């Protein structure tokens, strides 16, 4: 078997504040293949965001191994990570297309290439015709679409999403779930998606990694055997129910 | 378009309210038989402008230099200081508490000192305007530069963006609304600073003129001086507002 795109083994992270130690992540061991959409699900304090930041190279860790990329799948941490946060965090003073182009400016990608790509991506995320607007002219859901386009503009191999739909209303959230699956299908990116929504995690993920809190540790890692493309109806199937019950059980909420 | 129509209506109403005030003033004086020494009519006030020995132009110029000069120096140094603070944290930790303490000094109380140090003239008054403008600009600019979303910082860090890129693309444009908010406050204070300076000791300027005509009970000229001072402040405020409209996107402006 060839090497996985992402490989985590026994990753452990401890925060130290004023002499006190706090275990943020432990026993995180899982592989992610290229092109997978992996949901990281768990309650607050389970270390899912910390794990995401470790993957992004923003945090160090205290034990274990983290490897992204392999000989067959080279990975450049400076260029191959896209990030989406809970808030869209668009720059108010930039037009939507200019916001999407921000990473390309930092990486020094030529303007014309970047602009063309930004336009294509805004079309992909369903914002055609809004390119030259300012963020305040867009709804929350539309702003989050723009921030997804921004995470893709430099063509990264890995996109890290930290509860990207957590701040949206329930209806918009469902719509964005469908949109994300479509975008993922078309862009063929590897996505790691952090959420505390169990239904969302199962619905989106080709694989689900469950983290529990107190103490923080990885509790489960399973493949979701529901074929893509998925529609909202799959949530009513018996199989879907089994997956969500499995997670609820792990979180002690049965 | 209905948008521009509405705008026009708003301007019209704004002008109207000013005209109403002037009319009310006029009728109050005329029908209330208010003595001219107490309150002149708007027309009398305007007439004061043609009194030749008041050297209006020279006095307006002096006050304008103090207000605009003090403000400009404060804006330049204030923004520069805040930038240095954001680049060198130790400098901020060293100097910011001091600035906060110095800000507690009622700047007006420094007037007599300034006269001792710089004699009468335009300089001490410019300095007074500067002293009173400087703090709000430094404090708001420093705050604006500090307010960077931690997640945006992460975004730039994952892309291995430089400190300079973070500054030019996110920090500085993000601080602009704060800078303008500080400058708007400062624009109004600058006028007060310059005039108080002139009251305390000066040989030119509208504040100086007011003290002169007070002695001769030329109330109309005093009214005119107040109006001109207000106009100078209004012009400065308008310039700052115009620049803000040009540089800051509508949604980002701080009111």
């Amino acid at each position: 078997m060839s090497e996985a795109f992402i490989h985590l083994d026994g990753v452990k992270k401890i925060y130290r504040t004023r002499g006190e130690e706090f275990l943020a992540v432990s026993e995180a061991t899982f592989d992610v293949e290229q092109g997978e959409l992996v949901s990281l699900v768990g309650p607050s304090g389970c270390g899912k965001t910390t794990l995401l930041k470790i993957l992004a190279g923003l945090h160090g860790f205290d034990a274990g191994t983290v490897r992204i990329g392999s000989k067959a799948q080279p990975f450049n941490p400076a260029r191959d990570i896209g990030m989406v946060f809970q808030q869209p965090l668009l720059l108010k003073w930039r037009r939507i297309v200019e916001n999407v182009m921000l990473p390309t400016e930092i990486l020094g990608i030529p303007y014309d290439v970047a602009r063309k790509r930004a336009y294509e991506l805004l079309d992909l995320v369903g914002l055609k015709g809004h390119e030259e607007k300012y963020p305040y002219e867009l709804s929350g859901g539309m702003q989050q679409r723009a921030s997804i386009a921004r995470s893709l503009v430099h063509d990264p191999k890995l996109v890290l999403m930290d509860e990207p739909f957590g701040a949206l209303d329930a209806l918009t959230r469902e719509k964005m779930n469908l949109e994300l699956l479509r975008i993922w299908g078309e862009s063929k990116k590897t996505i790691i998606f952090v959420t505390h929504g169990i239904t969302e995690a199962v619905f989106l993920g080709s694989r689900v990694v469950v983290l529990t809190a107190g103490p923080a540790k990885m509790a489960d890692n399973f493949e979701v055997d529901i074929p893509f493309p998925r529609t909202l109806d799959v949530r009513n199937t018996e199989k879907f129910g089994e997956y969500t019950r499995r997670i609820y059980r792990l979180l002690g909420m049965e | 378009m209905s948008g521009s129509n509405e705008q026009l209506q708003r301007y019209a109403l704004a002008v109207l309210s000013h005209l109403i005030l002037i009319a009310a003033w006029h009728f109050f004086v005329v029908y209330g038989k208010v003595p001219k020494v107490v309150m002149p009519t708007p027309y009398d006030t305007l007439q004061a402008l043609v009194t030749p020995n008041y050297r209006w132009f020279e006095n307006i110029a002096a006050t304008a230099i103090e207000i605009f000069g003090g403000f400009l120096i404060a804006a330049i140094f204030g923004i520069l200081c805040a930038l240095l603070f954001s680049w060198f944290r130790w400098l901020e930790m060293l100097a910011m508490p001091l600035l906060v303490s110095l800000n507690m000094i009622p700047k007006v109380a420094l007037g007599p000192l300034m006269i001792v140090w710089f004699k009468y003239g335009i300089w001490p008054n410019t300095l007074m305007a500067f002293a009173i403008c400087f703090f709000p600009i430094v404090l708001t600019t420093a705050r604006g530069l500090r307010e960077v979303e931690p997640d945006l910082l992460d975004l730039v860090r994952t892309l291995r963006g430089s400190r300079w890129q973070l500054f030019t693309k996110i920090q500085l444009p993000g601080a602009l609304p704060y800078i303008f908010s500080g400058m708007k406050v400062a624009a109004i204070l600058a006028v007060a600073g310059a005039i108080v300076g002139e009251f305390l000791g000066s040989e030119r300027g509208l504040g100086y003129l007011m003290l002169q005509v007070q002695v001769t009970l030329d109330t109309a000229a005093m009214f005119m001086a107040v109006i001109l001072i207000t106009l100078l402040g209004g012009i400065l405020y308008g310039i700052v507002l115009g620049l803000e409209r040009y540089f800051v996107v509508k949604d980002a402006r701080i009111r």
Side-chain angles (χ1 to χ4, degrees):
Chain A
M1 214 184 105
S2 66
E3 282 185 307
F5 179 51
I6 300 173
H7 173 71
L8 278 81
D9 190 3
V11 175
K12 182 176 178 181
K13 167 82 182 171
I14 298 164
Y15 284 123
R16 292 177 184 84
T17 41
R18 277 175 271 122
E20 277 188 55
E21 294 199 342
F22 172 74
L23 185 67
V25 176
S26 78
E27 296 173 39
T29 301
F30 61 92
D31 284 359
V32 179
E33 300 298 335
Q34 205 150 27
E36 267 193 300
L37 198 172
V38 176
S39 300
L40 283 184
V41 66
S44 3
C46 73
K48 48 196 194 302
T49 296
T50 305
L51 200 52
L52 205 69
K53 290 196 169 170
I54 289 173
L55 285 167
L58 294 166
H59 279 355
F61 45 95
D62 297 284
T65 5
V66 174
R67 180 181 53 72
I68 309 179
S70 63
K71 278 214 178 74
Q73 301 146 314
F75 179 80
N76 175 355
R79 293 188 155 257
D80 284 336
I81 293 177
M83 301 252 276
V84 182
F85 305 95
Q86 182 164 5
Q87 300 299 329
L89 296 178
L90 300 177
L91 305 175
K92 290 175 179 178
W93 57 90
R94 286 177 169 230
R95 295 174 191 279
I96 295 299
V97 62
E98 294 164 345
N99 259 294
V100 172
M101 288 167 69
L102 179 70
T104 66
E105 290 172 22
I106 292 171
L107 293 172
I109 294 169
Y111 181 86
D112 294 340
V113 180
R115 199 176 167 82
K116 186 163 169 285
R117 174 123 181 98
Y119 260 80
E120 287 166 10
L121 284 169
L122 283 169
D123 188 12
L124 173 71
V125 300
L127 285 181
K128 202 178 173 66
H130 299 286
E131 297 91 347
E132 301 297 330
K133 287 185 179 168
Y134 282 101
Y136 73 90
E137 298 175 275
L138 267 55
S139 68
M142 286 161 97
Q143 290 191 22
Q144 199 53 290
R145 286 167 193 258
S147 93
I148 291 173
R150 180 179 63 191
S151 77
L152 297 171
V153 73
H154 50 300
D155 201 18
K157 294 203 170 80
L158 174 63
V159 182
L160 304 172
M161 301 189 171
D162 192 0
E163 296 186 40
F165 310 138
L168 302 177
D169 63 90
L171 272 176
T172 312
R173 188 172 182 163
E174 290 192 345
K175 200 172 163 196
M176 290 303 291
N177 279 344
L178 288 168
E179 285 287 287
L180 178 63
L181 284 183
R182 185 180 59 76
I183 293 164
W184 173 60
E186 287 183 37
S187 66
K188 300 186 172 59
K189 299 290 179 199
T190 308
I191 298 179
I192 297 188
F193 186 97
V194 161
T195 176
H196 53 243
I198 291 169
T199 315
E200 187 175 62
V202 176
F203 180 70
L204 293 175
S206 61
R207 169 187 304 283
V208 175
V209 171
V210 185
L211 303 167
T212 54
K217 65 170 204 187
M218 191 183 114
D220 202 354
N221 167 19
F222 59 86
E223 211 164 308
V224 179
D225 186 21
I226 298 172
F228 295 98
R230 294 174 185 169
T231 59
L232 292 174
D233 294 334
V234 305
R235 295 181 305 183
N236 304 323
T237 61
E238 182 52 34
K239 210 175 206 173
F240 194 93
E242 273 168 34
Y243 285 127
T244 54
R245 275 195 295 281
R246 178 168 171 177
I247 299 172
Y248 277 116
R249 237 189 333 268
L250 285 163
L251 302 181
M253 291 165 61
E254 207 182 10
Chain B
M1 265 175 71
S2 73
S4 71
N5 217 337
E6 200 176 301
Q7 191 106 57
L8 210 68
Q9 228 168 43
R10 277 180 51 191
Y11 285 133
L13 284 173
V15 171
L16 186 68
S17 64
H18 287 76
L19 289 178
I20 288 173
L21 178 72
I22 293 171
W25 169 17
H26 175 80
F27 289 119
F28 174 68
V29 175
V30 171
Y31 293 103
K33 303 211 174 358
V34 184
K36 199 178 164 183
V37 196
V38 176
M39 194 185 262
T41 61
Y43 181 73
D44 292 336
T45 305
L46 215 56
Q47 277 288 307
L49 269 184
V50 292
T51 318
N53 54 349
Y54 287 165
R55 291 180 306 183
W56 286 104
F57 187 74
E58 195 189 315
N59 288 318
I60 292 170
T63 304
I65 289 171
E66 291 161 9
I67 294 174
F68 285 73
F71 177 84
L72 200 67
I73 298 169
I76 292 169
F77 277 93
I79 294 170
L80 218 62
C81 268
L83 286 180
L84 287 174
F85 289 167
S86 96
W87 287 332
F88 307 106
R89 253 189 69 80
W90 56 269
L91 190 65
E92 172 166 14
M93 289 190 291
L94 185 75
M96 198 55 123
L98 184 65
L99 282 184
V100 171
S101 299
L102 289 177
N103 191 25
M104 295 293 155
I105 302 174
K107 262 62 74 182
V108 176
L110 294 176
L113 270 175
M114 294 223 188
I115 293 166
V116 172
W117 291 336
F118 304 101
K119 307 230 178 84
Y120 285 1
I122 284 182
W123 249 116
N125 300 338
T126 308
L127 215 62
M128 182 70 89
F130 162 81
I132 213 166
C133 283
F134 178 69
F135 294 100
I137 295 179
V138 181
L139 297 179
T140 50
T141 306
R143 173 152 172 244
L145 290 169
R146 242 183 280 125
E147 304 258 303
V148 179
E149 280 284 343
D151 280 344
L152 271 176
L153 211 69
D154 280 353
L155 182 71
V156 175
R157 279 172 62 203
T158 53
L159 298 163
R160 306 291 192 274
S162 64
R163 186 76 193 73
W164 180 247
Q165 284 175 323
L166 178 72
F167 175 70
T168 53
K169 292 186 190 303
I170 292 172
Q171 218 179 355
L172 186 61
L176 271 186
Y178 291 88
I179 296 176
F180 276 106
S181 144
M183 288 206 292
K184 280 192 274 187
V185 173
I188 294 165
L189 291 175
V191 181
I195 297 303
V196 166
E198 287 180 354
F199 282 170
L200 288 173
S202 162
E203 65 235 341
R204 258 179 298 176
L206 291 166
Y208 161 79
L209 183 70
M210 280 187 77
L211 293 187
Q212 299 304 301
V213 297
Q214 188 193 29
V215 180
T216 60
L217 285 180
D218 188 348
T219 315
M222 289 176 71
F223 262 70
M224 196 63 228
V226 170
I227 290 170
L228 288 170
I229 292 164
T230 310
L231 275 178
L232 283 176
I235 290 169
L236 180 59
Y237 194 83
I239 291 172
V240 175
L241 215 62
L243 286 173
E244 185 188 34
R245 290 210 168 178
Y246 182 76
F247 282 113
V248 183
V249 176
K250 191 172 146 209
D251 175 54
R253 288 177 206 147
I254 297 173
R255 268 169 280 267

